[in-house]
Amino acid sequence: MTAGVAGLSVVDLREVALGLGDDCLVLSHRLAEWTTHAPELEEEMALANLALDLLGQARSLLTLAGEADGRDEDQLAYWRDDRDFRNLLLLEQPNGDFAVTMTRQVLFSTFQELLYRGMAAGTEPRLAAIAAKGVMEARYHVEHARLWVQRLGRGTEESHRRMGQALDLLWPYTQELFKPTESWSRAADQGAVPPLSSIEEPWRHSIESLMVDSGLEIPGFPAWQSGGRLGRHSEHLGHLLAEMQHLHRSHPNASW
Amino acid sequence: MPPTNSDESRDLAFQEAIDADRTVEPRDWMPERYRSTMVRQIAQHAHSEIIGMQPEGNWITRAPSLRRKAILLAKVQDEAGHGLYLYAAAETLGVGRGELTELLITGRQKYSSIFNYPTLTWADVGAIGWLVDGAAITNQLALTKTSYGPYARAMVRICREESFHQRQGFELLAELSRGTRAQHEMAQDAVNRWWWPALMMFGPPDSESPNTAQSMAWKIKRVSNDDLRQRFVDMTVPQSRALGLDLPDSQLRWNEARGHYDFGPIDWEEFRQVVGGHGACNAQRIAVRRAADEGGAWVREAARAWEVRQQSRTSAA
């Protein structure tokens, strides 16, 4: 196994970058699905901003992931099937209503900001550079989503009810955020990425205080869903990819 | 009420100011018909930006490369921004966004008919950028000198972004045109479908355009429909050659004596049908806009309730 920069193996670097890149790509796709359906025009712009930021991060991460075996961002995005995708299950869940979308966003962006903060200070320079830029974006995503969770949690009876349902729906997917793959653990040992156990506590604290502020309760049931990082996805991802990849795959030798 | 002397003198003073090329600003007195014409035109333009997001938005999730996806997403986002900006310009005339949206989704105000055509392939995204944005810029460049200040200023900013979009559309088609045979055919097919509707974007011929005379006198409109259409054709024909794509008009040729391209007759019956609500996507476009508005009502309501609570908390503190 070839050693990469900072003692991180090429395979581990690829796996780490692929997981994070797929997170961004899949969530960006979901957010882009809101186009022309947002509850107000300001939100139309904001959701597109989020989607664009994540797409930019996905492109950097996939480019890095493909370097070792000479695959570019499009080959990785368009020519892998769902069993080869490494994103978190949370992110492929359908948009649902605006409460579901904002709940998903706050759960993920809070995690992503903490993760990028650690990675920006890490020993792998290319991961660190991507994270340093991404952390500013993630900060904005967190703020945007937190504000909406509060507004909806404490807005009207209906918005409060919908937020409760959204939290119940998505909570089962939250434990997966903190389950490291073997590659992740080795990368953390090398100091390239933060150990996931180190960001779980700050994440939990941030989400719990938000829910208290928003008059919402975190579900009491266990969050046991996982498998995305290993390529075991929900039924939703296949449909998402069928839509995303269809045109590109219909013209195998074309450039766009 | 019969017009009094003071009404007449105000009308005269207004026209004199227009003739002296002074812009009309929100606080200036203006004839009621000027105001209502301006509201209608700005609203129609704002609605066009918002409805125009749909045909292109149709391809975001299927964009064939991540680079193109980013470009398209940013473009559609720009259109939402233009819509917001234009609704704000309409607000300077005392009409709110909610009210105008209601007029749109109940079919009492229109938007550009071009968006009632479907985007069938990826190449349509390029054809819209090149032809539809190209036609829009031709229109809007003339409007940067329109007499109502907030609208004219909005046009300056919007034109800058639209020119960027037009170049992106041209570049997208250029890539297809020199790509595989299937890509080239896709590009040609899109141009075949969008060319004539793009020409219709300038509106009916001058001889049949009822609003033109007054609008010209008030300098709301600075150039006539037919003159704008000719400008667009003259600009676009050389570009089509650079693209290696044909324009679907056998009568298109340079006229040395006129110094312009001649082009074939436009099917105004198609134009009337689509404007009249019978295009391929009229019902669909409005249904999507209505669903977004109605589906988002609980979110906006929650935000308002939260805002009120925050304010009362601040004032109580």
Side-chain angles (χ1 to χ4, degrees), chain A residues 48 85 129 152 199 201 214 227 246:
Chain A
F85 268 72
L152 298 179
I199 59 179
E201 197 43 47
S214 312
H246 154 259

Side-chain angles (χ1 to χ4, degrees), chain A residues 91-105:
Chain A
L91 307 177
E92 69 202 41
Q93 299 310 307
N95 286 335
D97 62 12
F98 192 65
V100 172
T101 290
M102 281 300 129
T103 303
R104 183 182 61 199
Q105 198 66 43

Side-chain angles (χ1 to χ4, degrees), chain B residues 29-280:
Chain B
W29 179 87
M30 61 190 89
E32 202 39 52
R33 260 195 66 210
Y34 178 90
R35 179 187 298 274
S36 61
T37 304
M38 223 49 247
V39 167
R40 196 191 61 214
Q41 184 166 337
I42 298 175
Q44 189 164 320
H45 193 163
H47 298 330
S48 301
E49 296 282 357
I50 300 306
I51 296 290
M53 295 167 70
Q54 290 183 36
E56 290 174 286
N58 182 35
W59 283 93
I60 292 173
T61 54
R62 292 177 290 171
S65 74
L66 298 186
R67 184 175 78 91
R68 290 286 177 201
K69 190 190 288 284
I71 292 172
L72 180 57
L73 190 48
K75 181 189 174 184
V76 174
Q77 185 191 35
D78 281 347
E79 285 159 6
H82 295 171
L84 267 176
Y85 202 52
L86 286 162
Y87 283 125
E91 271 170 29
T92 65
L93 293 164
V95 201
R97 200 204 307 174
E99 192 182 331
L100 294 177
T101 301
E102 185 63 25
L103 290 170
L104 169 68
I105 62 183
T106 51
R108 285 175 287 164
Q109 273 181 349
K110 292 196 185 306
Y111 53 90
S112 178
S113 256
I114 192 81
F115 301 121
N116 292 317
Y117 290 85
T119 49
L120 301 180
T121 72
W122 170 250
D124 289 35
V125 172
I128 288 183
W130 177 45
L131 295 174
V132 175
D133 292 341
I137 294 165
T138 309
N139 243 325
Q140 289 165 16
L141 271 178
L143 287 172
T144 57
K145 297 188 182 64
T146 192
S147 57
Y148 188 58
Y151 190 39
R153 290 188 288 275
M155 281 309 106
V156 172
R157 178 172 141 173
I158 289 172
C159 275
R160 211 174 299 141
E161 290 182 358
E162 294 283 8
S163 323
F164 190 56
H165 297 162
Q166 201 226 358
R167 275 200 300 278
Q168 289 170 335
F170 180 89
E171 198 235 323
L172 190 162
L173 282 180
E175 183 94 35
L176 294 181
S177 180
R178 54 169 189 260
T180 64
R181 176 194 285 261
Q183 283 178 305
H184 181 87
E185 283 170 4
M186 193 192 278
Q188 183 62 59
D189 168 60
V191 170
N192 291 349
R193 282 181 288 110
W194 288 93
W195 171 249
W196 290 107
L199 292 190
M200 295 176 199
M201 283 175 70
F202 299 95
D206 295 346
S207 55
E208 291 166 33
S209 183
N211 297 321
T212 296
Q214 180 64 76
S215 286
M216 295 287 257
W218 275 336
K219 296 187 180 172
I220 291 175
K221 201 170 170 55
R222 305 294 307 247
V223 186
S224 81
N225 294 356
D226 285 334
D227 287 349
L228 287 169
R229 192 166 9 248
Q230 184 70 58
R231 270 186 204 177
F232 173 69
V233 171
D234 291 348
M235 174 185 84
T236 308
V237 173
Q239 293 176 358
S240 73
R241 297 201 179 117
L243 281 172
L245 296 170
D246 296 325
L247 295 171
D249 179 359
S250 59
Q251 297 178 46
L252 195 62
R253 61 180 57 87
W254 179 252
N255 182 325
E256 193 62 48
R258 289 204 309 126
H260 291 293
Y261 283 94
D262 290 338
F263 52 94
I266 292 172
D267 181 359
W268 291 111
E269 181 52 25
E270 175 178 321
F271 177 75
R272 274 185 288 273
Q273 289 297 332
V274 179
V275 171
H278 311 297

